[in-house]
């Protein structure tokens, strides 16, 4: 009689690096010590602001978030965590990795879901010691709100002439960044944490891209839908 041996059940990390390639971790309040002990610096982090469209690597889908999140940066043009050494699938801060990373078990997602439900860290405790920076962050959030942009784009779709209002918001978001660098001496690589990702990059979530005219002014251009392109080819 042939004895069939069942496949081994995975019970520990294989260090394949796949989880680190699907997105960087979101930081929890429990991860505050990683900033205090300088395992992570402001230059390593970025903010996803309320109302922004993001990739949910647990459900493998794009969602609009209703809270603020702070994440470790990802390598340019990818979802690969900044701290993954891709050649060896090694996490370069493994011994001091965030809560979410410690909870992730690809063979059992229950532990990760429990950890993900825990309280997330926000920018508030990070900037509370500097009144000027706190006020700038609050003013930026108010003027560059994704909720306001969502309403403006909805009205534009209905025919309202509000493109100038959107461009005003984009210009403010663009200009405040060099101001902070030049006037207050804040490093450029701190901007993604303090102000979130540039709106000229994230505006695509509303179906538009930003281009420039001959004078360098912003132009808002709707993204041509795929089905429209296919219809034109058929014609």
């Amino acid at each position: 009689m042939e004895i069939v041996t069942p496949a081994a059940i995975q019970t520990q990390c294989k260090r394949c690096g796949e989880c680190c390639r699907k997105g960087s971790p979101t930081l929890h309040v429990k991860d505050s010590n990683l900033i205090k002990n300088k395992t992570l610096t402001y230059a390593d982090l970025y903010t996803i602001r309320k109302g922004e469209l993001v990739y949910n690597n647990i459900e493998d889908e794009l969602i609009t978030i209703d809270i603020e999140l702070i994440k470790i940066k990802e390598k340019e043009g990818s979802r690969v965590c900044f701290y993954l050494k891709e050649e060896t699938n090694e996490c370069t801060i493994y011994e001091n990795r965030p809560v979410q990373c410690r909870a992730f078990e690809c063979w059992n997602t229950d532990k990760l879901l429990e950890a993900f439900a825990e309280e997330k860290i926000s920018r508030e405790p990070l900037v509370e010691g500097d009144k000027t920076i706190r006020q700038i962050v609050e003013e930026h959030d108010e003027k560059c709100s994704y909720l306001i942009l969502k309403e403006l784009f909805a009205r534009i779709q209905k025919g309202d002439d509000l493109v100038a209002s959107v461009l005003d918001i984009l210009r403010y978001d663009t200009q405040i960044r060099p101001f902070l660098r030049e006037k207050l001496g804040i490093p450029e690589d701190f901007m993604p944490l303090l102000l979130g990702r540039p709106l000229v990059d994230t505006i695509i979530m509303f179906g538009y891209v930003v281009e420039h005219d001959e004078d360098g002014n912003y132009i808002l251009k709707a993204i041509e839908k795929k089905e429209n392109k296919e219809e034109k080819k058929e014609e």
Side-chain angles (χ1 to χ4, degrees):
M1 178 184 293
E2 181 182 1
I3 299 176
V4 179
T5 303
I9 298 175
Q10 184 177 348
T11 59
Q12 61 184 6
C13 178
K14 296 179 179 179
R15 300 291 180 92
C16 66
E18 282 305 303
C19 56
C20 307
R21 288 182 169 85
K22 292 182 178 179
S24 60
T26 297
L27 298 187
H28 296 252
V29 171
K30 291 180 180 178
D31 294 316
S32 299
N33 64 305
L34 298 180
I35 298 174
K36 292 177 181 177
N37 67 22
K38 298 185 179 179
T39 295
L40 303 175
T41 71
Y42 285 7
D44 302 323
L45 311 173
Y46 73 99
T47 298
I48 296 179
R49 298 191 297 121
K50 184 177 180 180
E52 193 170 345
L53 187 69
V54 297
Y55 173 68
N56 178 356
N57 58 0
I58 296 178
E59 300 296 335
D60 190 26
E61 63 181 359
L62 290 172
I63 61 172
T64 300
I65 61 169
D66 57 6
I67 60 171
E68 178 178 302
L69 300 177
I70 292 180
K71 292 174 63 68
I72 289 178
K73 288 181 179 177
E74 295 158 340
K75 296 184 180 181
E76 188 173 355
S78 75
R79 293 197 183 105
V80 179
C81 179
F82 177 77
Y83 282 107
L84 177 67
K85 190 175 181 180
E86 296 183 75
E87 301 81 6
T88 58
N89 291 328
E90 177 186 1
C91 170
T92 56
I93 58 168
Y94 188 78
E95 296 303 322
N96 293 294
R97 64 196 186 280
V99 167
Q100 202 173 100
C101 300
R102 293 179 181 277
F104 189 87
E105 296 176 346
C106 58
W107 63 94
N108 176 19
T109 58
D110 291 345
K111 188 176 178 181
L112 176 62
L113 292 173
E114 289 177 8
F116 197 78
E118 294 181 7
E119 186 180 1
K120 314 294 189 302
I121 195 172
S122 70
R123 289 171 293 176
E124 185 176 355
L126 304 182
V127 301
E128 64 181 357
D130 191 314
K131 184 179 179 180
T132 300
I133 297 300
R134 186 177 73 249
Q135 289 177 338
I136 290 172
V137 168
E138 291 174 353
E139 183 175 349
H140 176 269
D141 269 353
E142 182 179 345
K143 291 186 176 180
C144 300
S145 165
Y146 280 105
L147 301 180
I148 291 176
L149 285 168
K150 181 179 179 180
E151 174 64 22
L152 288 173
F153 279 112
R155 292 177 62 184
I156 288 172
Q157 292 291 330
K158 293 178 181 178
D160 291 348
D161 185 12
L162 292 170
V163 171
S165 297
V166 172
L167 294 179
D168 284 343
I169 293 174
L170 295 180
R171 280 191 290 267
Y172 177 84
D173 177 67
T174 299
Q175 293 167 2
I176 192 66
R177 296 168 190 268
F179 172 84
L180 291 178
R181 184 180 67 248
E182 295 165 11
K183 301 298 183 181
L184 300 181
I186 297 175
E188 178 67 28
D189 52 9
F190 283 21
M191 301 302 166
L193 172 64
L194 296 178
L195 304 179
R197 296 182 288 186
L199 289 179
V200 292
D201 296 334
T202 60
I203 207 74
I204 193 172
M205 65 181 277
F206 298 109
Y208 288 81
V209 293
V210 178
E211 297 183 352
H212 297 84
D213 63 17
E214 295 179 353
D215 298 320
N217 299 311
Y218 282 159
I219 298 174
L220 201 60
K221 185 176 180 180
I223 299 173
E224 189 174 5
K225 293 183 180 179
K226 185 177 180 180
E227 52 266 32
N228 290 342
K229 291 182 179 179
E230 293 175 349
E231 289 174 6
K232 287 184 178 180
K233 287 181 181 179
E234 292 177 359
E235 292 174 0

